Amino acid sequence: MKQLIIVFCLLLSLSVSAQNAAQARKILDKTAALIANKKGATANFNIVGKNLNTSGTIAIKGNKFQATTPQAIVWYDGKTQWTYMKASQEVNVSNPTEAQQQTMNPYKFINLYKNGFNLSMKTISTVWQIHLTATNQKRSIKEMYVTINKNYQPQTIKMRQSNGWVTINVSRFKAKTLGDATFRFNAKDYPKAEIIDLR
């Protein structure tokens, strides 16, 4: 009888865990759809990590993005990335790998949950906190906490990588119609820039 009760409790906890993961997935689906708005969106952000502390603004449209910080401006049009370093007036041009995109492009890391992660969630006050754990710990992002408000807007993304935790705080997220030129470097705007092609 005791073993039967243990088996029943185990099955019940597995069922609750599966429902919890399904609910987390639904919330992330709605958040990813909001971020992937076909017209575009903008937000402010602050990133804190090991040897990293910066803030700025970001514009996103599908898998394209443009981020501005006091140190640099990054444009990504879905294939090519331009990184303008303000201090040196250099523009590095590259085609980032999937792993590199995941750490820079919010569209990429907000969609990580779809493959290779176990999900769980809890409600804290008026937000959801979703915990993602990589099924393969060799991935570049091993663990992630995403805090999402009731409007399905991400507020905090905390990622554990091989070099420690990185926290991204997001504010003033809003839908906005953005043209494709927003996500491409325009050399005419930076006539003194030295362009370094790393492709």
Side-chain angles (χ1 to χ4, degrees):
M1 184 70 176
K2 192 176 180 181
Q3 288 177 329
L4 188 62
I5 292 170
I6 291 169
V7 169
F8 177 74
C9 288
L10 185 63
L11 288 173
L12 187 64
S13 70
L14 288 173
S15 172
V16 170
S17 177
Q19 288 173 355
N20 186 277
Q23 180 66 17
R25 185 171 292 278
K26 283 181 186 176
I27 292 166
L28 286 170
D29 283 344
K30 289 183 179 182
T31 301
L34 183 71
I35 289 176
N37 177 351
K38 289 180 181 177
K39 291 184 177 180
T42 60
N44 292 359
F45 68 89
N46 170 257
I47 302 176
V48 179
K50 189 178 181 182
N51 303 321
L52 178 66
N53 189 346
T54 192
S55 58
T57 58
I58 190 161
I60 50 178
K61 181 180 177 182
N63 70 337
K64 304 176 180 78
F65 77 97
Q66 187 270 332
T68 302
T69 70
Q71 298 82 18
I73 304 172
V74 180
W75 297 264
Y76 179 71
D77 68 359
K79 181 186 175 186
T80 304
Q81 180 172 298
W82 297 265
T83 304
Y84 172 67
M85 303 305 294
K86 293 180 180 180
S88 62
Q89 293 192 347
E90 290 178 352
V91 179
N92 292 317
V93 186
S94 63
N95 292 332
T97 65
E98 191 72 20
Q100 289 168 332
Q101 286 181 53
Q102 286 174 0
T103 59
M104 296 179 289
N105 186 341
Y107 178 78
K108 290 290 183 186
F109 66 68
I110 205 69
N111 281 283
L112 283 175
Y113 73 96
K114 293 179 180 177
N115 216 341
F117 281 87
N118 293 321
L119 306 176
S120 64
M121 65 163 281
K122 62 183 175 181
T123 303
I124 303 171
S125 186
T126 60
V127 298
W128 295 295
Q129 185 185 71
I130 299 175
H131 184 207
L132 297 86
T133 309
T135 52
N136 178 357
Q137 286 294 304
K138 291 182 180 176
R139 288 184 76 143
S140 59
I141 296 174
K142 300 167 189 338
E143 188 178 7
M144 190 156 78
Y145 289 92
V146 183
T147 304
I148 297 167
N149 69 21
K150 300 296 179 174
N151 294 321
Y152 300 99
Q153 297 172 345
Q155 292 187 325
T156 306
I157 300 106
K158 188 176 178 182
M159 299 180 287
R160 181 169 62 88
Q161 299 171 293
S162 54
N163 60 346
W165 287 94
V166 173
T167 302
I168 304 168
N169 296 302
V170 181
S171 61
R172 301 180 70 180
F173 184 95
K174 60 183 177 182
K176 187 175 182 181
T177 302
L178 300 168
D180 287 342
T182 304
F183 309 99
R184 291 192 199 102
F185 170 74
N186 186 343
K188 290 178 184 175
D189 295 336
Y190 302 89
K192 296 181 179 179
E194 180 187 355
I195 296 171
I196 301 166
D197 198 329
L198 303 172
R199 290 170 292 182

